Amino acid sequence: MEYFLNELQTTVRDLARGIAEEKVLPVRAELDEKEQFPWEIVKEIAASGLYGIAIPEEYGGIGGGSFELVLAAEQFARVCGGVAVTYAANFLGSDILIDNGSPEQKVRFLPDIASGEKLCAFAITEETAGSDAAALKTTAVRTDDGYLINGSKRFITNGGDATIYTIIARTEPGKGARGLSAFIVEKDTPGFTFGRKEKKMGIRASSTRELLFDDCLIPKENLIGKEGMGFFYAMKLFEKSRPGIGAQAVGIAQGAFEAAMEHAENRVQFGEAIITFQAVQHMLANMAMDIEAARCMVYNAARTVDSGLQKSANMESAMSKVYASDVAMRVTTDAVQIMGGVGYMRDYPVEKFMRDAKITQLYEGTNQILRNIIANELKKRY
């Protein structure tokens, strides 16, 4: 379909697709097998300028928004979901800083993030605070010297490899969501270390680690915005970032669909290519329709976020993530089915696409929690 991309958007899409096909495709199986962080690919993306997509021009970025990020993430995910989330998580980590940081913080941190010299990560999840993000227990106690942080974070994308971390911690006990604040913590800060690296079903090229804080003292200047606003900053961040998860799902689904199409055109049974069988044709037709519908929702949600015309794009954002990730799971499962026995083998890419697809239904809000959010937004609007 025609999505009326402007020159910048077309350039971003084509640049990301080129890197994905030329640099990621030859090594994606190895990265997955070895669970290896894609540093060489990170350098290629940095050299292209794509880490600066959503960062304002005055800080060395391109000055785009959620839509441009969606275009790039989709193309990376079309080849490798692990590389795609490694890339997208950089913006998850920097967006709170872009929207709520002080001028001094922006000058200090954003140019290095835009250039790709330093990777970024965002940390809110804890062992007891997943869907119930307001239940987190990591504390940041104000002292004469700054803030003393104690606690841990779990399942943090880019954990251990990122240099700059934006974290949410509790500054006021007993205040629930209103007692949380946002902070910047740099990798080499004393008292800040890393725990286990998770061994995952999919997106294995992406590093997912535990963050540990043991009397980690950061300067008071590392508070982002105001005390007590951390939870609200995070929820606004997810409103902007969930179309990015939708884009990853669309890309994964597209990659699996293309592999299944190629197989169906070349696999001969009973003297005919299996694409001539109506059962296979109907599966492929449904896959193609679902992917295009998901892409429409994701692109619309990202453009709605960027337009700023709505007070909240929470419903559109949640819908795009839920629908696209459910589509990714259906499409990748059907791709394995079309390819039969070989689809189940690691020599072919669709089993990886299927494993990578599952996480898109889980992170940045499980699809069940997001359906609650959609329902609550419906009450407000209708």
Side-chain angles (χ1 to χ4, degrees), residues 345-377:
M345 303 302 159
R346 285 171 145 181
D347 294 337
Y348 294 81
V350 291
E351 64 85 27
K352 177 184 183 305
F353 283 124
M354 186 177 177
R355 289 187 285 107
D356 288 352
K358 184 58 193 174
I359 190 61
T360 64
Q361 294 181 308
L362 301 175
Y363 58 15
E364 290 200 37
T366 66
N367 284 6
Q368 288 70 33
I369 287 292
L370 294 189
R371 282 179 166 89
N372 291 346
I373 289 174
I374 292 165
N376 287 333
E377 289 293 323

Side-chain angles (χ1 to χ4, degrees), residues 17-303:
R17 187 179 185 115
I19 294 172
E21 292 183 345
E22 294 170 20
K23 303 299 181 180
V24 182
L25 185 59
V27 298
R28 70 174 172 190
E30 180 182 3
L31 292 173
D32 182 72
E33 184 70 25
K34 294 181 177 179
E35 303 183 25
Q36 181 178 326
F37 190 80
W39 274 117
E40 292 305 314
I41 294 166
V42 167
K43 292 175 185 176
E44 291 287 344
I45 297 172
S48 75
L50 287 177
Y51 275 116
I53 280 183
I55 292 177
E57 293 180 66
E58 59 264 40
Y59 304 110
I62 295 173
S66 294
F67 186 53
E68 286 75 20
L69 176 58
V70 155
L71 293 172
E74 179 186 347
Q75 294 305 317
F76 290 129
R78 175 178 162 267
V79 173
C80 179
V83 169
V85 70
T86 296
Y87 170 74
N90 205 56
F91 298 93
L92 192 65
S94 61
D95 197 74
I96 282 182
L97 186 57
I98 293 169
D99 285 350
N100 307 288
S102 68
E104 293 77 16
Q105 289 172 338
K106 293 178 183 180
V107 168
R108 181 181 172 189
F109 294 107
L110 291 182
D112 285 343
I113 297 171
S115 70
E117 182 177 336
K118 294 182 179 180
L119 291 185
C120 201
F122 174 70
I124 188 170
T125 303
E126 299 180 4
E127 186 174 355
T128 58
S131 294
D132 184 10
L136 65 83
K137 296 179 179 178
T138 296
T139 59
V141 177
R142 194 185 317 114
T143 71
D144 293 338
D145 298 319
Y147 289 89
L148 198 62
I149 302 176
N150 282 283
S152 63
K153 298 292 180 181
R154 196 178 187 190
F155 302 150
I156 306 306
T157 303
N158 289 351
D161 294 294
T163 306
I164 301 166
Y165 296 79
T166 53
I167 75 161
I168 307 298
R170 184 166 299 285
T171 46
E172 290 288 344
K175 284 196 173 182
R178 295 187 179 277
L180 305 179
S181 302
F183 300 92
I184 303 163
V185 183
E186 296 181 79
K187 184 175 184 177
D188 294 330
T189 305
F192 177 29
T193 56
F194 303 99
R196 61 175 286 175
K197 180 180 179 181
E198 303 292 345
K199 298 183 72 66
K200 306 187 294 292
M201 175 192 293
I203 58 167
R204 291 175 177 172
S206 165
S207 57
T208 306
R209 279 192 180 88
E210 187 179 23
L211 311 187
L212 305 175
F213 303 93
D214 182 11
D215 285 343
C216 174
L217 181 65
I218 61 172
K220 61 184 68 175
E221 291 79 14
N222 282 26
L223 170 69
I224 300 174
K226 298 178 180 179
E227 278 195 17
M229 292 298 294
F231 180 81
F232 304 99
Y233 294 159
M235 294 306 104
K236 196 65 179 177
L237 165 65
F238 291 142
E239 181 179 315
K240 295 174 67 176
S241 67
R242 280 173 180 143
I245 303 300
Q248 292 171 40
V250 169
I252 289 168
Q254 184 69 38
F257 169 74
E258 290 172 6
M261 274 290 296
E262 181 180 7
H263 179 83
E265 290 171 337
N266 291 289
R267 173 65 168 165
V268 175
Q269 290 287 274
F270 308 105
E272 298 180 58
I274 65 172
I275 199 168
T276 64
F277 302 153
Q278 190 177 65
V280 174
Q281 291 175 345
H282 286 187
M283 290 176 73
L284 290 168
N286 286 336
M287 291 159 75
M289 287 189 290
D290 281 349
I291 292 168
E292 205 60 63
R295 184 176 287 117
C296 286
M297 289 189 73
V298 168
Y299 285 13
N300 177 69
R303 281 173 158 158

